[in-house]
Amino acid sequence: MARPLRFIPPDSVVEVTMRTIQGRFLLRPSDELNELVIGVLGRAQDKYAMAIHAFVAMGNHVHLLCSPRHAAHLAAFMGFVASNIAREAGRLHDWRERFWRRRYVAIVVADETAQVARLKYILRNGCKEGLVASPGLWPGASCVAALAHDEPVRGTWFDRTAEYEARRRDETVHGRQFASEVRVHLAPLPCWREISPEQRRTVCRHMIAEVEQEARAQAEAGRRGFMGVAKILAQDPHSRPAHSDRSPAPPVHASTKGARNGFMSAYRAFVDAFRAAAAALRGGVRDVGFPLHAFPPALPFTHPPPAPA
């Protein structure tokens, strides 16, 4: 099935998800991998000036909540993030095959209530699967400590290009010679810009307490405990779960029918304009205008003139 057109209204909040190939645990947490993942995110944020609100790296997928300026801004940022995490994690776990299942999935968050709900969803990762009893116990890279306690999110960026050039010059390269510390700076959700940082942290702590309560209730109802950090860290990164989530992604995150309908109406108008422009392009019109913030298709093949009879 064809992927939907990438439609991100300017300055939208977007939830982005990337999943590893076959759900393999290629992002299994470790101090080294956490440092690398945060390093890539921090470097990408510096390079593309992306507003990141929340993130978590699970064993086989990554969630981000961010505010790109438009679809091309998100595409450039995510291209950098996905390719560099794949190279760093692949090098760490000796994985030389394809890393990600497919291109990232980006879902627009259409209203303020939905923004808070998606933040809570990111905090629930690790608890809702029965892995740990609290978001703060998840051993992978995440924003929990930063959101709840204003702790800095630090990682390391390794300049592999500089390493390569040094080796080409037959120089001896030490392990961290071209490493630099970077930070991921978390921006408040647009709906929280008017409240103080301490108020935001208080809300996040209450949200985490709710997640912990839900996790305990879920464990008691299922009469099972949590997997625990030791077992999580002992997983083989090349292994994969017995069952993977194959549910389709929703077209938009919205808390009301009106917000959802408003987005879908704008999306359908965008698709109609795109299809009309694509049809004109196939028909030979070279100066056709595509809707703003779209990725136009490539020009059709230029056929040679027929040979004279």
Side-chain angles (χ1 to χ4, degrees):
M1 187 177 76
R3 288 180 292 205
L5 293 177
R6 285 179 281 184
F7 173 65
I8 300 177
D11 302 312
S12 295
V13 175
V14 179
E15 182 185 46
V16 184
T17 303
M18 299 186 294
R19 298 187 183 275
T20 60
I21 185 74
Q22 298 173 337
R24 295 183 185 271
F25 297 119
L26 296 168
L27 297 171
R28 183 206 64 195
S30 67
D31 290 344
E32 190 172 3
L33 182 70
N34 296 349
E35 178 185 37
L36 292 169
V37 168
I38 294 173
V40 170
L41 284 176
R43 174 63 176 169
Q45 185 178 50
D46 290 344
K47 184 177 177 67
Y48 295 101
M50 177 63 72
I52 299 175
H53 308 296
F55 72 93
V56 64
M58 302 302 293
N60 57 12
H61 63 280
V62 174
H63 288 301
L64 288 167
L65 199 60
C66 58
S67 290
R69 294 189 297 274
H70 43 65
H73 182 211
L74 181 64
F77 173 79
M78 290 306 303
F80 184 95
V81 169
S83 60
N84 281 281
I85 288 179
R87 278 192 286 269
E88 295 294 350
R91 179 185 290 108
L92 180 63
H93 295 316
D94 193 27
W95 182 260
R96 304 175 187 276
E97 308 301 325
R98 179 178 171 180
F99 193 90
W100 302 108
R101 179 194 297 180
R102 59 179 177 177
R103 189 178 71 200
Y104 63 89
V105 175
I107 304 174
V108 171
V109 184
D111 61 89
E112 294 184 352
T113 302
Q115 290 175 23
V116 178
R118 298 324 294 172
L119 173 60
K120 184 175 181 180
Y121 174 82
I122 288 178
L123 294 176
R124 291 180 64 227
N125 274 260
C127 295
K128 63 184 178 64
E129 301 89 348
L131 301 178
V132 291
S134 169
L137 295 177
W138 175 248
S142 82
C143 61
V144 174
L147 291 178
H149 305 293
D150 198 28
E151 294 184 12
V153 186
R154 294 191 178 97
T156 302
W157 168 253
F158 291 86
D159 190 337
R160 303 300 183 187
T161 301
E163 285 185 16
Y164 173 75
E165 294 296 337
R167 289 192 175 97
R168 284 190 61 189
R169 297 190 297 267
D170 293 326
E171 297 177 7
T172 301
V173 176
H174 306 291
R176 303 178 74 88
Q177 180 178 346
F178 296 98
S180 58
E181 183 181 276
V182 295
R183 291 180 59 174
V184 175
H185 301 276
L186 297 179
L189 290 171
C191 63
W192 285 356
R193 285 175 183 158
E194 301 304 318
I195 65 176
S196 70
E198 182 54 40
Q199 287 176 310
R200 293 195 294 266
R201 288 192 289 271
T202 299
V203 173
C204 286
R205 288 194 292 268
H206 288 164
M207 201 177 293
I208 290 168
E210 291 176 356
V211 171
E212 292 169 345
Q213 184 176 2
E214 293 167 3
R216 285 194 299 270
Q218 183 178 321
E220 291 170 1
R223 296 183 180 180
R224 57 171 174 77
F226 297 95
M227 182 175 181
V229 173
K231 289 185 178 179
I232 293 170
L233 300 180
Q235 289 176 312
D236 179 357
H238 291 187
S239 65
R240 55 182 177 174
H243 304 285
S244 297
D245 181 14
R246 296 285 182 175
S247 57
V252 62
H253 290 306
S255 65
T256 66
K257 185 176 180 180
R260 185 184 189 281
N261 289 345
F263 175 85
M264 294 307 299
S265 176
Y267 176 68
R268 284 191 290 269
F270 176 84
V271 171
D272 289 344
F274 188 96
R275 287 176 175 171
L281 182 65
R282 289 193 300 271
V285 180
R286 295 295 182 264
D287 59 349
V288 61
F290 280 82
L292 287 176
H293 309 298
F295 291 88
L299 290 170
F301 181 75
T302 304
H303 291 275

